[in-house]
Amino acid sequence: EAALGVEGMGDAEFEELEEEAARDEIGEYMRDCVKEARKATTSDKATKYEDCNTKARELAAHAQGKEEIAPAEYERMKREKAAKDALTTIRDCLKGGKTSTQCRDKAKEEVALVTGKEGDDEVDSTEFETLVRKGAEDESRKVMQSCIKAAKGESGWSDKSQPARDTKYRECNTKAFNIIKVALEETDKEVDKADFERIKKDGAKNTLRDSMSRCMQKSGASGANCKAEAKKEAKAALGVEDMGDAEFE
C-alpha cells in the first residue's frame, strides 16, 4: 500500500499483485537458469531444464506466500509471462530502430528462455503470434482497469450523471484502443476498432477466469461472492458500467 501510495487495497487487487510478482520471479529465474542449462552436455540437458522449472515453480509459490503451486497453475503463469515479454520486447526493440524481423527473432528468444526451450527455433510460429496477442489482451485489461479506477476516484464521481460517466468510460476505451493499436502496429498487426473489441473481450475473459480461480482457492470460498468479485473486475476490463447476468455467464 505504501509503495502504491494508497490508503487501502482490496484483496483481489493484492492477490493480482502477488501473482504478477510471481510471474516476474518465474521470468527472471528462467532466463538465467535456461542460459546456463543450454551449456550443459546433451545427456545432462533434460535434467538441467527440469531443475530450472522446479526452482522457478518454488520461487513463484513463495512470492505468493504458498508452499507450492500446482503444475498447471505454474505453466499458465509461465505462459502469461512469456506473452507479456513477447509484446514488450518487440515494441521496445522496434523503438530502438531494429527491423521487424530482428525484433521478432529477439522476442522469440525471450519466449524460449522464459518457457524453457533450447532455442527460438523451438517456439512455434503460430504459438508465438498467439502469445503476442495475449500480451495485447493483458495490456488492454490493465489500461482499462487503471483508467476506470482513476475515473471513479475523482471527486464527485457518485454524483455524476449517467451521460457524464459514459463519457469517462468512452475516454478510457479510446485510451486503451490507441495504446493497443500502436503496440500491435509495431508488431506488424493492424488493429481496427472491431479487432480491439475482440482483444478487450478476451482480456476480460482472462480477468474473469483468473479472478474466479484465485477466489475459489481460498478456504471457505463462496461461489456467489467469487462471481460478484469476478464480475466487478470483468466490467472494469470491458469498460462498462453494468453487465447483465446473461452476458456474464
Side-chain angles (χ1 to χ4, degrees), residues 23 30-31 38 47 62 71 73 79 90 94 99 101 136-137 145 154 158 191 203 213 223 246:
R23 287 195 294 265
M30 287 296 287
R31 284 188 202 95
R38 288 176 176 178
T47 300
H62 292 169
E73 185 75 359
R79 189 168 182 270
I90 293 174
L94 286 167
T99 67
T101 299
E137 291 167 6
Q145 288 178 325
E154 292 178 359
S158 60
V191 178
S213 176

Side-chain angles (χ1 to χ4, degrees), residues 8 29 36 43 45 73 81 90 120 124 141 152 177 186 193 200 221 224:
Y29 184 79
E36 290 302 311
S43 60
K45 278 186 186 291
E73 185 75 359
K81 178 60 177 172
I90 293 174
D120 60 12
D124 179 76
R141 174 185 65 81
K152 288 184 174 181
F177 170 64
E186 290 172 343
K193 289 191 176 181
K200 190 172 65 170

Side-chain angles (χ1 to χ4, degrees), residues 212-238:
M212 286 295 295
S213 176
R214 287 195 304 268
C215 185
M216 291 303 292
Q217 288 178 33
K218 296 177 184 177
S219 175
S222 158
N225 290 340
C226 288
K227 278 190 174 184
E229 183 60 39
K231 188 174 182 179
K232 179 181 174 182
E233 292 188 39
K235 286 192 296 185
L238 284 171

Side-chain angles (χ1 to χ4, degrees), residues 67-83:
E67 285 298 317
E68 63 178 4
I69 55 175
E73 185 75 359
Y74 168 67
E75 290 300 325
R76 176 185 66 78
M77 292 169 67
K78 187 167 65 170
R79 189 168 182 270
E80 287 174 352
K81 178 60 177 172

Side-chain angles (χ1 to χ4, degrees), residues 54-65:
T54 299
K55 182 61 176 178
R57 185 176 151 203
E58 179 184 310
L59 289 171
H62 292 169
Q64 293 180 290

Side-chain angles (χ1 to χ4, degrees), residues 130-223:
T130 299
L131 287 173
V132 172
R133 187 178 180 90
K134 184 170 179 55
E137 291 167 6
D138 189 52
E139 186 86 351
S140 166
R141 174 185 65 81
K142 287 181 177 177
V143 172
M144 289 298 296
Q145 288 178 325
S146 297
C147 184
I148 288 176
K149 182 178 179 180
K152 288 184 174 181
E154 292 178 359
S155 176
W157 172 263
S158 60
D159 296 325
K160 285 183 183 293
S161 65
Q162 191 59 51
R165 291 188 183 193
D166 290 342
T167 297
K168 282 292 185 182
Y169 279 111
R170 284 194 297 271
E171 288 174 359
C172 289
N173 198 71
T174 299
K175 180 179 180 180
F177 170 64
N178 288 335
I179 288 173
I180 298 305
K181 186 173 186 290
V182 170
L184 290 185
E185 274 179 354
E186 290 172 343
T187 67
D188 291 340
K189 296 293 179 184
E190 189 69 36
V191 178
D192 58 21
K193 289 191 176 181
D195 197 31
F196 171 65
E197 288 300 320
R198 287 192 292 273
I199 289 172
K200 190 172 65 170
K201 189 171 184 179
D202 287 341
K205 287 178 185 176
N206 295 337
T207 298
L208 191 158
R209 181 202 66 217
D210 293 347
S211 178
M212 286 295 295
S213 176
R214 287 195 304 268
C215 185
M216 291 303 292
Q217 288 178 33
K218 296 177 184 177
S219 175
S222 158

